[in-house]
Structures are given as structure tokens and as C-alpha cells.
């Protein structure tokens, strides 16, 4: 899959597949509103899209997919909408952890302490049951906020310094990363946001430093495998310079 080509002495990564795709699942509410349906119908259609896209990514050899499902800011929404999103998450966590045909390895990124206790239980179960799975790694960002993740890491590092277990000089980027929810994972190659908005909305603020951003007008419930293939193709033609010259 790693197919670097040398062109005139330069490394060309134009045919390189992304290892990690992160998706901001957006546009569910508008999808429903456009059809005169209650917003929760958009979330349930959006959860079907999640299944299709995760299966597709697994088939085409994507190693990691990170799905932004619920942000630390989404608690501002009406209670009925939050309840519906939690209901769908319960169902999806069960599905991924209980059915033997699924080989995905589940990780939840976010402040799980702030979630209902039965969901915390399902997260533990899903993580445990899929620990040895060898298929795609599915990260679900749930009660996730990038600023909260970074603040949390800083707090834990400060506590170690206070106890004398770490020197301030030891705090490097590599060390800091070990305190993030994504520790030991590659950074996302692509951050994809369907749903027409062109913003990051507090998602993977640290990890996305050099991600290729792809914004799409398609609302998430309408997103298809073909749309994802197009996004990957777009990525393959990007020139990632990381501050250098290429
Ligand atoms: C889903 O899309 C994202 C979640 C927070 C679950 P939205 O519910 O934000 O849809 P829009 O942006 O209102 O259309
Ligand atoms: C981002 O979508 C959060 C998730 C997809 C979970 P939002 O719909 O909450 O973002 P804003 O409000 O448009 O920035
Ligand atoms: Mg939205």
C-alpha cells in the first residue's frame, strides 16, 4: 500500500492511501428538516451511513477511522435530541462489540465520566470485547472536545511535575501526545467534514496540525462510499509539505 515513487529526486506520495481518516459527522439535523421530519430522523439515517462508511473503509484497507459523534458542546441541544443520539450510540456500540462478524477494534475518545453510566458500561464492554480484533480501528469521539483534551493532558502532566515525577524539561511534543486520547495512533491524514460548514468545531486540534482538510456540501445522511472514494482520490493528489519544500 505504501507506494512512494521517486520523480526527479523528489519523493512523490501521490498514490499513497491514507492510514487514518477522521470524519465530522454533520448535517443530520438539516437533512431531516429539509424533508419536514423531526431532527432525530436525521440522526438515525446518519447512523446507517456510519455503518456503510465504516464497512467500506475496512474493505479498502483504511487502518483507523475516527468519527466525531458527540462534542462537549452538543449538550446545549434539546434533551430529546441528546437522548436520541445516546440511544443510537448504545445501539452502535452493542452492534460493534457483540456481533462476531465485525472485526473492528473500538476506542472511545472523550470525557467518558460525563456520559450516562449505562453508556460507560457499554464503552467498557465494547473496548474489552474488541481488544484483540484485527480489523479497522474505529475511534468514536464521544463527549469529545479538542480544548478539553489538551487541557486535561496539561493537568495530568502538571500533577506529575508537582509530585516530582517529571521535570518541566521532559515535556516534549512526543510526551504530550502520550496524554491525549489518541496516544500511540497515527495523526489523521484526512479530516473530512460533510454538511456544508467549513470549520473544525473543536475536533482533533492537536492531532490535525497537518491533516488534509476536505469539506463537502453533501449532508452526512446522503454521504456514500463513492463520495469517500472521491475524497481519498483528492487526498492522493495533495502535496503534503509539512513546512518543507517539495
Ligand atoms: C450531526 O449533525 C452531528 C451531531 C452533533 C450528532 P447535526 O445534528 O449537527 O446536523 P445539523 O448541522 O444541525 O444539520
Ligand atoms: C460538530 O458538529 C460536532 C459533531 C459532529 C459531533 P456541530 O453541528 O455540533 O458543529 P457546529 O455547531 O456547526 O460548529
Ligand atoms: Mg451540525
Amino acid at each position: 500500500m505504501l507506494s512512494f515513487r521517486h520523480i526527479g529526486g523528489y519523493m512523490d506520495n501521490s498514490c499513497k492511501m491514507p492510514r487514518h481518516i477522521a470524519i465530522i459527522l454533520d448535517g443530520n439535523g438539516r437533512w431531516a428538516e429539509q424533508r419536514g421530519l423531526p431532527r432525530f430522523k436525521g440522526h438515525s439515517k446518519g447512523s446507517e451511513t456510519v455503518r456503510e462508511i465504516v464497512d467500506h473503509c475496512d474493505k479498502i484497507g483504511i487502518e483507523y477511522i475516527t468519527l466525531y459523534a458527540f462534542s462537549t458542546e452538543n449538550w446545549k441541544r434539546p434533551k430529546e435530541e441528546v437522548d436520541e443520539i445516546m440511544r443510537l450510540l448504545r445501539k452502535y456500540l452493542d452492534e460493534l462489540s457483540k456481533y462476531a462478524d465485525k472485526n473492528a477494534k473500538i476506542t472511545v475518545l472523550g470525557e467518558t465520566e460525563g456520559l450516562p453510566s449505562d453508556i460507560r458500561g457499554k464503552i467498557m464492554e465494547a473496548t474489552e470485547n474488541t481488544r484483540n480484533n484485527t480489523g479497522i480501528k474505529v475511534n468514536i469521539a464521544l463527549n469529545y472536545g479538542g480544548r478539553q483534551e489538551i487541557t486535561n493532558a496539561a493537568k495530568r502532566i502538571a500533577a506529575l511535575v508537582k509530585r516530582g515525577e517529571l521535570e518541566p524539561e521532559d515535556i516534549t511534543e512526543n510526551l504530550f501526545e502520550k496524554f491525549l486520547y489518541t496516544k500511540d495512533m497515527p495523526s489523521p491524514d484526512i479530516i473530512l467534514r460533510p454538511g456544508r460548514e467549513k470549520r473544525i468545531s473543536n475536533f482533533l486540534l492537536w492531532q490535525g496540525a497537518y491533516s488534509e482538510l476536505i469539506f463537502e456540501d453533501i449532508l452526512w445522511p446522503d454521504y456514500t462510499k463513492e463520495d469517500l472514494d472521491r475524497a481519498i482520490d483528492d487526498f492522493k493528489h495533495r502535496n503534503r509539505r509539512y513546512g518543507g519544500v517539495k
Side-chain angles (χ1 to χ4, degrees), residues 24-26 68-71 74 77 141 193 197 199 201:
I24 302 175
L25 310 173
D26 196 32
Y68 198 11
F70 195 83
S71 76
N74 287 145
R77 296 188 178 204
R193 180 170 194 156
E197 310 298 356
R199 53 178 172 255
S201 300

Side-chain angles (χ1 to χ4, degrees), residues 25-30 39 43 69 74 77 81 85:
L25 310 173
D26 196 32
N28 292 351
R30 277 162 291 156
R39 289 176 57 87
H43 295 308
N74 287 145
R77 296 188 178 204
E81 183 169 341
I85 295 171

Side-chain angles (χ1 to χ4, degrees), residues 52-91:
E52 272 170 40
I53 296 296
V54 171
D55 284 350
H56 184 59
C57 283
D58 194 17
K59 278 198 192 92
I60 63 175
I62 303 298
E63 289 174 63
Y64 294 84
I65 182 166
T66 299
L67 304 162
Y68 198 11
F70 195 83
S71 76
T72 45
E73 286 71 35
N74 287 145
W75 297 106
K76 292 177 196 157
R77 296 188 178 204
K79 184 178 179 303
E80 312 78 70
E81 183 169 341
V82 171
D83 288 349
E84 176 62 12
I85 295 171
M86 294 298 156
R87 188 185 72 79
L88 293 164
L89 282 164
R90 284 181 181 96
K91 205 168 147 208

